[in-house]
Amino acid sequence: MVDADQASNPAGAGFTKRVFSGIQPSGGLTLGNYLGAIKRFVEMQEEDYETIYCMVDLHAITVWQDPEDLRRNTRELAAGYIASGIDPAKSILFNQSQVPQHAQLGWIFNCVARMGWMNRMTQFKDKAGKNRENVSVGLFSYPTLMAADILVYHATHVPVGEDQKQHLELTRDIAAKFNNDFGIDFFPLAEPVIEGAATRVMSLRDGSKKMSKSDPSDASRINMTDSAEDIARKIRKAKTDPDALPSEAAGLENRPEARNLVNIYAALADMSVDQVLAEAGGRQFSQFKPMLSDLAVAKLAPISTEMARLMQDQAEIDRILGVGAQAAREIAAPILDRTYEIVGMIRSA
Ligand code: TYM
């Protein structure tokens, strides 16, 4: 049973402090991915955690991916992780499909999760839209594979942007049901780590929509591979309102576009929103936007330059992912074996 100790310590007593997180190689990296996820991944790598980071290629194919694009995007994402500061000597870095235990545990979790739980997943509803009969079965069971990604390592902490919160709640529900069904305290209840000024970076064209790699308008997002000119142009054209910036955070209420640009500034500068407004309060957007684009270019240009350099040696990227996958399999294999045993599968010697 889930014991009281685990209930009071959500990450689970007795588990190694281990971080897992993943990003889909389903298009280019955006500023949303960087500020909402990767920046935190790098910080956690330097803290007191074992860190495991993944390109979730099996998740990406829940919607159609051209095979050549998928290969390219997977390598580019690896380059993006490394250029942003993920050090393969400190973190395990690999692509999901090289570690078969993810899909294997995903199957077990398909048999643990309930249809009712899955039907409530807002990301599925958003992605399927009116096309529900025609989307892949994989898109529906996406969150059980995500739970497997995390739990196959007994990960205790999962840094993500706000949009993944519901999936992480489901991951905890699956862990708790498994533990309860089999009367064993086996899977930790992993804790979401949703922190910082930019856990939900919004579209530059519409402050009510998330910045996303799948938005048809390229002007809605900053891509990590954008040139300095692109970044400056997109920020210059970003939707705003006519008022000056307020001098404290409360003044951003009902001003989604203004809030978004201030949040982005705060996250890039490692400042709080109040600190940004103490400096920039009272300024018009015509003054604030150039400040923001200078800051964005200063922070992002070194990353995109390094990504381009790394992309010139694809064999080296593939080698790094191979080493990461081997290390990942070494952690995942015994946890999967034990799971099979708990479930009642015969394991021949
Ligand atoms: P994905 O690939 O959509 O996004 C990767 C990470 O970036 C964050 N993110 C954002 N954060 C702030 N503002 C935004 N506009 C923004 N857009 C994206 C996401 O929250 C995420 O942290 N299901 C996951 C991938 C996944 C995963 C996992 C994550 C698969 N297995 C296990 C954690 C643990 C996804 O689609 O992320």
Side-chain angles (χ1 to χ4, degrees):
M1 302 299 286
V2 184
D3 62 26
D5 199 22
Q6 190 169 35
S8 62
N9 173 9
F15 290 101
T16 310
K17 275 177 79 179
R18 187 177 283 153
V19 166
F20 179 91
S21 200
I23 300 181
Q24 296 194 65
S26 53
L29 267 177
T30 70
L31 182 66
N33 298 136
Y34 177 66
L35 295 179
I38 299 187
K39 197 160 173 288
R40 193 76 188 97
F41 297 178
V42 176
E43 288 162 5
M44 292 184 97
Q45 168 186 268
E46 305 305 331
E47 292 164 18
D48 174 27
Y49 297 96
E50 249 183 68
T51 43
I52 307 177
Y53 298 123
C54 190
M55 284 123 258
V56 290
D57 46 11
L58 297 173
H59 278 111
I61 62 162
T62 56
V63 298
W64 170 252
Q65 304 293 328
D66 174 83
E68 268 316 306
D69 290 347
L70 180 60
R71 263 187 285 274
R72 188 176 184 291
N73 287 333
T74 304
R75 292 187 178 117
E76 191 177 275
L77 178 52
Y81 271 117
I82 297 168
S84 303
I86 298 300
D87 176 352
K90 292 184 184 164
S91 293
I92 296 178
L93 183 67
F94 67 103
N95 57 311
Q96 189 186 27
S97 59
Q98 294 208 70
V99 181
Q101 288 82 5
H102 290 238
Q104 290 173 296
L105 185 61
W107 178 258
I108 302 280
F109 288 168
N110 276 339
C111 303
V112 173
R114 305 289 93 182
M115 288 295 284
W117 303 357
M118 305 294 285
N119 275 325
R120 284 195 285 277
M121 293 295 113
T122 53
Q123 189 151 316
F124 174 74
K125 289 190 227 174
D126 290 347
K127 283 203 174 175
K130 294 197 183 76
N131 200 24
R132 238 177 137 135
E133 293 295 307
N134 262 323
V135 294
S136 71
V137 176
L139 190 68
F140 185 71
S141 65
Y142 180 116
T144 55
L145 179 60
M146 182 162 159
D149 295 340
I150 297 164
L151 295 174
V152 82
Y153 301 102
H154 277 185
T156 53
H157 294 80
V158 187
V160 285
E162 210 174 278
D163 60 339
Q164 296 302 313
K165 193 166 177 221
Q166 194 187 31
H167 285 157
L168 293 186
E169 282 160 8
L170 182 90
T171 300
R172 292 165 65 95
D173 289 344
I174 288 174
K177 182 164 174 9
F178 183 97
N179 289 346
N180 192 55
D181 286 351
F182 295 98
I184 190 168
D185 197 2
F186 185 61
F187 287 116
L189 304 188
E191 258 185 71
V193 179
I194 304 176
E195 286 171 356
T199 56
R200 189 171 174 79
V201 178
M202 307 309 281
S203 156
L204 298 178
R205 307 299 302 161
D206 176 351
S208 67
K209 266 177 38 190
K210 190 183 74 168
M211 182 181 285
S212 157
K213 51 195 149 199
S214 58
D215 193 312
S217 161
D218 191 58
S220 70
R221 64 179 159 265
I222 291 174
N223 305 299
M224 295 304 285
T225 48
D226 280 348
S227 66
E229 296 74 42
D230 287 337
I231 294 175
R233 179 177 41 80
K234 288 176 180 180
I235 292 178
R236 198 164 56 241
K237 291 197 170 161
K239 189 174 165 203
T240 48
D241 56 41
D243 297 335
L245 284 175
S247 47
E248 46 190 57
L252 291 171
E253 208 149 312
N254 301 322
R255 297 182 63 188
E257 284 85 13
R259 176 198 298 272
N260 189 37
L261 296 186
V262 172
N263 283 350
I264 292 174
Y265 191 101
L268 283 170
D270 285 314
M271 289 164 79
S272 71
V273 166
D274 280 319
Q275 284 170 326
V276 175
L277 292 176
E279 245 175 56
R283 296 197 191 176
Q284 296 294 333
F285 281 104
S286 55
Q287 293 168 286
F288 182 64
K289 281 179 167 181
M291 286 169 59
L292 177 59
S293 72
D294 286 352
L295 176 64
V297 169
K299 295 285 179 176
L300 303 183
I303 299 178
S304 66
T305 307
E306 180 62 3
M307 278 174 78
R309 192 188 68 77
L310 291 165
M311 280 298 277
Q312 282 171 4
D313 191 352
Q314 299 193 348
E316 175 61 7
I317 294 182
D318 295 1
R319 188 194 67 78
I320 289 170
L321 300 186
V323 172
Q326 174 64 30
R329 286 191 297 266
E330 277 165 24
I331 302 175
I335 294 178
L336 180 76
D337 267 343
R338 179 75 188 115
T339 309
Y340 277 162
E341 237 170 54
I342 292 169
V343 171
M345 309 287 177
I346 290 176
R347 317 298 290 146
S348 299

